[in-house]
Amino acid sequence: MPLNFNKVEFIRSAVRREDFLWDGLPQMAFAGRSNVGKSSVINRLVNRKNFARVGASPGKTSQINYFRLDGRAYLVDLPGYGYAKVSKAERDRWGRLMESYFASGLITLGIMIVDARHKPTADDVTMANWFFDTGCPVVVAANKLDKLKKSEIGPNMQAIRDTLALREEDRLVPFSAERGDGSEELMGLLRYSLEEHRT
Ligand code: GDP
């Protein structure tokens, strides 16, 4: 049976290593700069309007939200980065939590959300390298594609590939959470990664 994206439930928010889930189900981790549309991408995938906000209240930028997908994998919503108005204490908390999650060995697939309109930031590059260091496959979704002219798509995708130093095997999916572009392709890659994980 293919992975059913409509069967999704919020499990918990993790703020420390002890809160991570260690039950062996694959963990597909979503990362991105604040406001890049990470929640919108997740909501698009699971076909809901306000799903990825569950458990996240304003100011709680340093928590990892776990959703279980079809009882077969976790969709892991990592806290966004690069938000200017965050205190140093909060940034430090973010760093400690992310470091321990990336060191946990739990990630089976990394999904990075970047903005299709812009060259990835230094923070995006750092995040991509964290994913590469885990050794897991990485998929990049270039969101807000609807804001681009047709002629801009090719050059922008190349700039994203070059700046993040994507390897040949890393997939880059032009995406629009608003319009739905790339959604089938991204779902296909998530399903595929699950099959690979099992074999
Ligand atoms: P997050 O902070 O990364 O979770 O970002 P959100 O999902 O909250 O989205 C941030 C803003 O970007 C919101 O105003 C969304 O409506 C908008 N947004 C998200 N995805 C898209 C998209 O594909 N196209 C456009 N035009 N706007 C988007």
Side-chain angles (χ1 to χ4, degrees):
M1 286 284 280
L3 187 64
N4 183 353
F5 282 86
N6 293 315
K7 279 172 85 177
V8 62
E9 57 192 324
F10 173 72
I11 302 295
R12 69 159 65 147
S13 294
V15 297
R16 59 184 75 82
R17 193 173 190 279
E18 294 73 44
D19 305 332
F20 298 165
L21 294 169
W22 303 85
D23 58 7
L25 279 192
Q27 300 194 11
M28 303 165 166
F30 287 69
R33 211 155 34 80
S34 302
N35 230 29
V36 70
K38 179 163 51 65
S39 315
S40 304
V41 170
I42 293 173
N43 289 332
R44 165 62 71 176
L45 291 176
V46 302
N47 221 355
R48 305 272 183 97
K49 277 237 165 335
N50 271 312
F51 198 71
R53 296 247 173 255
V54 179
S57 49
K60 283 198 175 168
T61 55
S62 303
Q63 59 184 27
I64 293 176
N65 292 315
Y66 272 97
F67 305 99
R68 191 164 47 215
L69 201 52
D70 203 10
R72 292 159 64 182
Y74 293 111
L75 213 152
V76 183
D77 184 10
L78 300 174
Y81 49 86
Y83 186 55
K85 283 185 205 142
V86 164
S87 68
K88 182 172 183 313
E90 184 81 358
R91 250 198 319 272
D92 289 348
R93 234 188 339 268
W94 179 92
R96 282 195 301 274
L97 180 67
M98 290 290 266
E99 261 173 48
S100 61
Y101 185 64
F102 275 81
S104 69
L106 289 167
I107 304 178
T108 52
L109 176 70
I111 300 108
M112 265 212 57
I113 318 295
V114 297
D115 193 319
R117 295 171 295 180
H118 311 298
K119 206 172 110 138
T121 64
D123 287 339
D124 290 330
V125 173
T126 302
M127 184 57 55
N129 286 325
W130 281 19
F131 274 125
F132 295 151
D133 288 347
T134 66
C136 68
V138 179
V139 175
V140 177
N143 191 37
K144 309 199 183 182
L145 186 73
D146 54 281
K147 298 262 198 186
L148 290 191
K149 296 196 199 96
K150 263 222 162 71
S151 61
E152 295 172 317
I153 298 175
N156 283 26
M157 293 307 118
Q158 193 56 49
I160 290 169
R161 270 205 167 273
D162 294 345
T163 309
L164 296 179
L166 296 188
R167 305 152 305 184
E168 206 158 329
E169 67 269 27
D170 302 321
R171 301 292 297 266
L172 173 61
V173 182
F175 201 96
S176 167
E178 192 161 296
R179 231 169 34 189
D181 313 53
S183 167
E184 287 298 328
E185 185 179 354
L186 190 55
M187 287 194 283
L189 292 169
L190 265 53
R191 289 193 177 104
Y192 176 75
S193 85
L194 204 56
E195 282 153 26
E196 285 294 286
H197 184 75
R198 214 179 318 125
T199 49

